[in-house]
Amino acid sequence: MNISLLFVGFCIVCANSLDINEIVIIISSQSNRHHEALAEDLKSDIIQQSHILNKDAPIVHLTHIDFPDVVGAWTILPLIPYLRKLHHGNCSWFFFMEDKTRIRLGELLELLNGYDYTQEMWLGHAIRDREATIIHHFQFFEDPQRFAYPNAASGFAISAGLMKRLEVQWGRRKTSSADFSIDYAYELALFIWNDKKGTELTHAPRLCRSAKGNCATYSTSFQHCETSVPKTSIYFAVKTCGKFHGDRVTVVKGTWGKYAEIIRYFSDVEDEAIPTISLGIPNTEQGHCGKTIAILQYVANEIENRPEIKWIIIADDDTILSVARIQKFLSCYNDSEQIVLGERYGFNVYNEDGYNYITGGGGIIFSRGSMQNVVNSNMCKCPSISSPDDMFLGVCFRRLKIEVIHSSLFHQARPVDYAPEYLKDENVVSFHKHWMIDPFAVYNQWFQQEDTQMHNEL
């Protein structure tokens, strides 16, 4: 795939000591046909660009191939010792990018030539929180805009000088048995900053949020792959409880729920007015493992003779989403694969015994096969009904070798909890929580038009 060759001819490569083969490029890739293809196309384009520039190609790592056993490779930090071991003597810059990042190699070389790689430096498209947010543990709550972190989809560069220090810092870190990984770009920035003892991000405008004339890199928006999957192939299971029937369920039924062809509401009490289905599991204030596993078992039985249902989505009663965008999103994935999709979090992924999971608030999408695998396995029995359901499912997925596939289109929090630049131009699929917002207004702003349009086209 010819991604950005049109731009190479316009690049002026500075003639000094830095060359393309002194840049090691790391693409955060995933073990899934769709994402593997994106990463391979990106790697091929980088190599082709280097040939057009008459330069030796840089080393390009695909994390799912070159570091398959590093559970938290997506967080970058656990890769530091591996990258240093491989490249400590043959690399001036490490450039990290996602499979939706596009790169203009000549422009990137020109940009990096303006900085001293022997110094502790890192470059990225700086973004800042507008208010203290739960996804960043309310850091810098008095002035959240003071701290900059990179827009990861634009890519970011770390000098060899900084990587040397980070390797030492990583080796001396205090290990924890309860590390959560949520927003890797923010957490990486905190680690590098090192409580004022380290290095702050240098804003590089040419590492762009979207394509512009002299961009060295830019982020691309999601493009659906084929025809949207039919509504009849998606089963929505909404978790609720009696105390939320009058408000949260009303929001679901008044927004995205009316566009779902197959939707069930699972509660601790039966309410014929909705209607809800009670599975005999009492409501718990913390985790909902018992309820979630019971829902999956119920769905597996209900759809046993309905082969047209390919995807099962578990959503909270305060999840706000777009049915139409989910239909488009799923066009890129094969329902015959053992996969789950949504927003990936990590627990103890800096250690070998850690695991990734799909955070429940933004919605968890199961392929039919992965759901059946969970339901049929003896390795997926809840420790208690109040265990955190999304985290326990992550343990279950790892045991069963079900691939956890991340998409930045799903969100565990509200729109106001994210930097505006992060959400700009994204075909967002979901948000979560009604706290201090109007959920109808959020739905109308982000999702109503597309849901209505697709519904009218049917």
Side-chain angles (χ1 to χ4, degrees), residues 124-286:
H125 186 100
I127 57 178
R128 301 171 188 270
D129 292 337
R130 298 300 189 270
E131 60 182 68
T133 171
I134 189 171
I135 61 172
H136 296 153
H137 307 292
F138 298 105
Q139 294 269 1
F140 308 103
F141 64 91
E142 292 182 342
D143 182 16
Q145 294 194 53
R146 75 156 306 282
F147 188 74
Y149 57 101
N151 181 60
S154 302
F156 53 90
I158 298 179
S159 69
L162 178 55
M163 283 289 279
K164 181 178 180 180
R165 191 260 290 176
L166 294 180
E167 181 184 27
V168 175
Q169 183 181 335
W170 180 251
R172 293 175 178 173
R173 80 191 191 283
K174 293 180 180 180
T175 57
S176 170
S177 60
D179 275 326
F180 285 89
S181 299
I182 297 174
D183 181 346
Y184 80 89
Y186 192 89
E187 291 149 10
L188 176 66
L190 282 176
F191 184 83
I192 295 174
W193 182 63
N194 194 22
D195 197 19
K196 298 182 181 180
K197 297 187 291 290
T199 308
E200 292 190 0
L201 178 71
T202 296
H203 177 54
R206 292 175 68 184
L207 302 179
C208 301
R209 182 65 187 85
S210 56
K212 297 176 183 176
N214 69 337
C215 290
T217 65
Y218 58 93
S219 172
T220 59
S221 299
F222 170 80
Q223 300 292 324
H224 65 279
C225 301
E226 299 175 0
T227 303
S228 299
V229 303
K231 286 184 179 182
T232 52
S233 69
I234 308 173
Y235 184 118
F236 289 92
V238 180
K239 292 185 302 179
T240 188
C241 63
K243 65 180 179 180
F244 294 130
H245 288 185
D247 48 10
R248 294 185 182 179
V249 172
T250 299
V251 172
V252 175
K253 292 174 75 72
T255 56
W256 64 269
K258 61 187 178 184
Y259 297 106
E261 185 77 16
I262 307 167
I263 186 167
R264 306 283 187 268
Y265 298 89
F266 294 90
S267 182
D268 55 337
V269 294
E270 291 189 1
D271 184 341
E272 293 183 359
I274 294 176
T276 61
I277 299 168
S278 173
L279 300 175
I281 306 294
N283 187 53
T284 53
E285 292 298 325
Q286 298 296 322

Side-chain angles (χ1 to χ4, degrees), residues 286-429:
Q286 298 296 322
H288 305 284
C289 192
K291 178 186 287 187
T292 298
I293 296 299
I295 289 171
L296 292 174
Q297 291 169 337
Y298 180 97
V299 175
N301 291 330
E302 183 183 354
I303 70 172
E304 183 177 3
N305 297 315
R306 299 185 64 179
E308 74 278 8
I309 297 177
K310 309 293 187 182
W311 302 98
I312 296 86
I313 302 178
I314 293 187
D316 289 351
D317 53 11
D318 56 350
T319 301
I320 307 169
L321 59 80
S322 166
V323 173
R325 287 187 178 176
I326 286 178
Q327 290 178 259
K328 292 179 179 180
F329 172 76
L330 289 175
S331 71
C332 294
Y333 298 93
N334 190 328
D335 59 81
S336 67
E337 293 184 312
Q338 292 279 324
I339 57 173
V340 291
L341 305 109
E343 183 179 21
R344 173 189 55 207
Y345 280 11
F347 182 71
N348 284 344
V349 293
Y350 300 155
N351 307 316
E352 293 181 358
D353 59 349
Y355 58 90
N356 298 310
Y357 63 97
I358 299 298
T359 182
I364 305 175
I365 302 181
F366 294 77
S367 66
R368 184 182 180 118
S370 66
M371 180 205 65
Q372 291 173 330
N373 199 355
V374 170
V375 168
N376 295 333
S377 173
N378 290 324
M379 293 187 288
C380 297
K381 307 299 182 184
C382 294
S384 73
I385 64 170
S386 61
S387 298
D389 53 348
D390 49 6
M391 294 182 68
F392 179 72
L393 282 171
V395 174
C396 177
F397 299 150
R398 181 161 187 187
R399 289 170 176 171
L400 298 177
K401 295 181 170 51
I402 294 173
E403 291 294 339
V404 174
I405 305 301
H406 171 71
S407 171
S408 61
L409 304 181
F410 295 75
H411 300 89
Q412 171 69 12
R414 309 162 302 163
V416 294
D417 290 312
Y418 301 91
E421 302 93 329
Y422 177 78
L423 297 176
K424 186 179 180 182
D425 300 324
E426 284 282 15
N427 295 311
V428 173
V429 165

